[in-house]
Amino acid sequence: MTNQPIIGFLRTGIKSECIGCGACAQVCAHGALKMSEDLEGFRYPVLVEELCVNCGLCNKVCPEENDISKYHLRQKAFGGYAKDEGVRCMSTSGGAFSCIVDTWCKDNYVIFGATGNGIDVYHSHITDKAEIKRFRKSKYIQSKINDTYKDVRIFLKEGKNVLFSGTPCQIAGLRKYLELYRVDTSSLLTVEVVCEGVPSPLYVKKLDESLLRHYGGTISNLDYRFKDGKFDYIGRPFSPTRKGRWDFEVMRILLSNGKKLKKDRWFNPFWSIWLQHLMNRPSCYACPYATQKRVADVTLGDLWGVHIYCPELYGGNGGSSVIIANTLKGREALRAASIGMVGHEIEMDDVIRFQGPLRRCIPMNPQREAFMKDLEDRDISIEEINKKWANRPSLKLILSKYIWGNHQKVRLWNLKHKFSGK
Ligand SMILES: Cc1cc2nc3c(=O)[nH]c(=O)nc-3n(C[C@H](O)[C@H](O)[C@H](O)COP(=O)(O)OP(=O)(O)OC[C@H]3O[C@@H](n4cnc5c(N)ncnc54)[C@H](O)[C@@H]3O)c2cc1C
């Protein structure tokens, strides 16, 4: 065992102590740390002892080892959706991310975000916002961060305006990295997504293998939350004024042989297994960023609870966003973005009430170890995993989603308002 001043995780081997931000690997000028996948598919630093010069930089840059300041004093929340229906339809929630990019990135800018086909997901940058669709849509696995912190440092030094988006742990890694090099961050805007944790990439890999066996093609694109714009929520054919099906999002898979598959949100084993907290990264169960205090200038999420506390922002089931400005810079970005949106300021108390990840981290399912053992077992197919571990939706859930769902509640609210003349 080495006695070098390496990061805690490498000393203890306790996986929950590594968030996988990759700052240590990027800071190491000697290539002594490489990010590598473990059996569960999560990436961790691995030390090449003979290359380590004992400089201790990895220890200094690690956000798990060093406290990071969090913001909350100037928080302001905004609920709403993009005026441009096309943008809204192509985004996960209400298209807030695109509205921020559109107004904040004026000139001399670089935008970082997560891209990829849904099973191979990685961070990258663009210098033309016309390419923003590469970053749109939540890909629900941890993206490979590659050398993007290094790139941000270079771009900031060159005087560019940088917008960096990612999960809170990735923002924490970036901030620690830039702090270490004392980089001036006045032209950096950090944008994080509210994060319930990242699931094991092994699940979608196994799904991919099964699709190849059954349909003769591998996944070329996986849209975790495809808004099927074909029909609106009561089955009327799509029209430009009635887009989106946010409550009924399906997982849409495009295969290499051109086949298309769709799986309804409420009958999809992926969501059932993930949301039972059976396959998250170990550090997600102890996430230091699952709190009201945030690490980024701006936080983006779904406007959960919209049908209860601000039904006027539901906007026909096309998707709604919450934007939280955590700093003065965040407020400026929010103010500018809101021009391209339908929406208004909302209370932080309401936001927090409906956003679990702003209150506490997810609990680990006591069955996680048994589940992951099955998932890692090459002799157990994804069909067997689903049968054993996924819950079928209860009758109550089916009734509440399809018969008396949020969209009906909002329609009733609209009717009441119409007749009360308010
Ligand atoms: C792993 C994960 C868990 C999430 N959990 C929640 C939750 O519990 N509650 C909630 O309200 N919202 C959650 N979100 C955020 C939500 O899904 C939307 O991403 C967010 O509301 C922005 O949507 P949008 O319509 O503004 O824009 P979109 O254009 O759809 O935004 C995409 C943004 O997400 C980033 N992104 C996409 N995939 C990844 C990834 N794998 N890693 C890092 N960044 C990524 C892109 O860089 C871009 O900034 C989660 C997102 C992710 C990636």
Side-chain angles (χ1 to χ4, degrees):
M1 188 67 193
T2 176
N3 57 2
Q4 288 135 353
I6 49 169
I7 39 181
F9 157 70
L10 285 172
R11 286 193 307 268
T12 64
I14 300 173
K15 293 203 164 164
S16 60
E17 291 179 358
C18 175
I19 55 177
C21 69
C24 53
Q26 293 191 55
V27 87
C28 183
H30 306 277
L33 286 170
K34 309 247 179 274
M35 295 302 283
S36 170
E37 276 183 18
D38 72 349
L39 290 175
E40 296 183 343
F42 297 113
R43 292 163 69 78
Y44 293 89
V46 174
L47 182 70
V48 186
E49 287 203 32
E50 54 278 21
L51 295 181
C52 178
V53 296
N54 209 8
C55 68
L57 281 185
C58 56
N59 201 31
K60 284 189 189 146
V61 82
C62 175
E64 286 284 89
E65 298 276 309
N66 305 279
D67 273 349
I68 187 155
S69 55
K70 294 189 183 128
Y71 316 119
H72 76 295
L73 289 176
R74 301 180 197 280
Q75 269 173 337
K76 258 195 188 305
F78 177 93
Y81 49 87
K83 282 180 185 161
D84 183 328
E85 279 294 343
V87 166
R88 193 178 175 207
C89 208
M90 287 181 289
S91 305
T92 316
S93 312
F97 175 65
S98 298
C99 296
I100 289 177
V101 165
D102 202 38
T103 47
W104 198 81
C105 302
K106 287 289 179 217
D107 50 39
N108 202 23
Y109 60 81
V110 186
I111 307 160
F112 285 80
T115 187
N117 64 0
I119 60 168
D120 181 24
V121 180
Y122 55 94
H123 255 66
S124 178
H125 73 265
I126 54 173
T127 50
D128 180 355
K129 56 188 175 185
E131 289 177 47
I132 191 65
K133 60 176 182 296
R134 288 185 59 202
F135 299 151
R136 281 194 192 123
K137 287 283 177 165
S138 295
K139 299 105 191 156
Y140 290 108
I141 50 174
Q142 190 169 34
S143 71
K144 294 173 200 142
I145 205 76
N146 296 333
D147 276 343
T148 49
Y149 302 161
K150 282 189 194 171
D151 298 339
V152 170
R153 182 178 166 215
I154 295 168
F155 284 128
L156 287 173
K157 276 192 161 172
E158 286 173 359
K160 302 254 194 260
N161 297 309
V162 179
L163 186 155
F164 189 97
S165 67
T167 54
C169 48
Q170 291 170 334
I171 303 291
L174 171 69
R175 280 187 48 203
K176 274 285 154 211
Y177 180 90
L178 297 175
E179 255 174 59
L180 192 73
Y181 288 104
R182 300 205 169 99
V183 179
D184 175 4
T185 54
S186 51
S187 56
L188 168 71
L189 182 76
T190 49
V191 177
E192 65 182 4
V193 288
V194 173
C195 185
E196 167 108 18
V198 283
S200 167
L202 274 193
Y203 184 94
V204 281
K205 277 194 187 143
K206 261 195 147 151
L207 176 67
D208 196 31
E209 286 162 13
S210 154
L211 293 175
L212 179 62
R213 276 196 308 273
H214 289 99
Y215 298 95
T218 50
I219 297 176
S220 61
N221 188 274
L222 167 54
D223 188 338
Y224 289 82
R225 293 174 57 184
F226 178 66
K227 291 178 189 166
D228 194 341
K230 221 165 168 185
F231 299 102
D232 78 352
Y233 51 80
I234 53 166
R236 288 175 299 194
F238 168 85
S239 88
T241 51
R242 290 199 299 269
K243 280 185 185 169
R245 283 159 54 92
W246 184 43
D247 282 350
F248 294 90
E249 285 159 338
V250 292
M251 181 182 265
R252 188 192 61 173
I253 298 173
L254 303 180
L255 294 182
S256 51
N257 57 9
K259 283 203 171 76
K260 276 187 201 166
L261 306 170
K262 285 185 194 170
K263 188 83 180 166
D264 186 285
R265 164 78 174 82
W266 308 107
F267 290 86
N268 189 334
F270 167 82
W271 288 104
S272 169
I273 291 172
W274 182 28
L275 296 179
Q276 287 179 64
H277 310 139
L278 283 165
M279 59 169 167
N280 280 86
R281 187 182 173 97
S283 59
C284 298
Y285 303 110
C287 177
Y289 312 111
T291 136
Q292 180 178 348
K293 296 182 185 175
R294 309 304 302 170
V295 287
D297 295 303
V298 177
T299 308
L300 299 180
D302 289 281
L303 187 54
W304 298 137
V306 54
H307 60 292
I308 294 172
Y309 71 92
C310 48
E312 70 284 3
L313 299 180
Y314 189 70
N317 203 4
S320 283
S321 287
V322 58
I323 310 179
I324 308 169
N326 303 305
T327 59
L328 281 180
K329 206 191 285 176
R331 275 197 197 193
E332 275 171 44
L334 165 53
R335 204 175 305 123
S338 64
I339 295 167
M341 299 180 75
V342 176
H344 56 71
E345 199 176 322
I346 50 180
E347 293 295 325
M348 267 312 284
D349 286 351
D350 284 326
V351 174
I352 289 165
R353 201 152 49 101
F354 289 92
Q355 281 289 4
L358 298 193
R359 294 194 303 270
R360 67 183 103 77
C361 51
I362 48 166
M364 187 192 291
N365 189 317
Q367 297 287 312
R368 182 186 185 279
E369 204 179 320
F371 170 80
M372 288 308 304
K373 218 169 142 212
D374 282 357
L375 194 64
E376 284 166 40
D377 191 333
R378 293 205 59 82
D379 293 331
I380 302 182
S381 68
I382 198 72
E383 289 77 15
E384 288 166 298
I385 298 268
N386 291 341
K387 199 164 168 209
K388 181 167 171 192
W389 294 97
N391 293 330
R392 291 193 67 76
S394 64
L395 185 63
K396 192 174 160 214
L397 182 81
I398 294 175
L399 288 178
S400 85
K401 292 297 167 192
Y402 294 97
I403 310 295
W404 186 239
N406 295 345
H407 50 286
Q408 285 94 340
K409 290 177 196 157
V410 175
R411 284 180 75 210
L412 184 71
W413 181 86
N414 281 334
L415 278 174
K416 273 190 196 155
H417 268 243
K418 200 169 160 191
F419 289 112
S420 68
K422 283 186 196 163

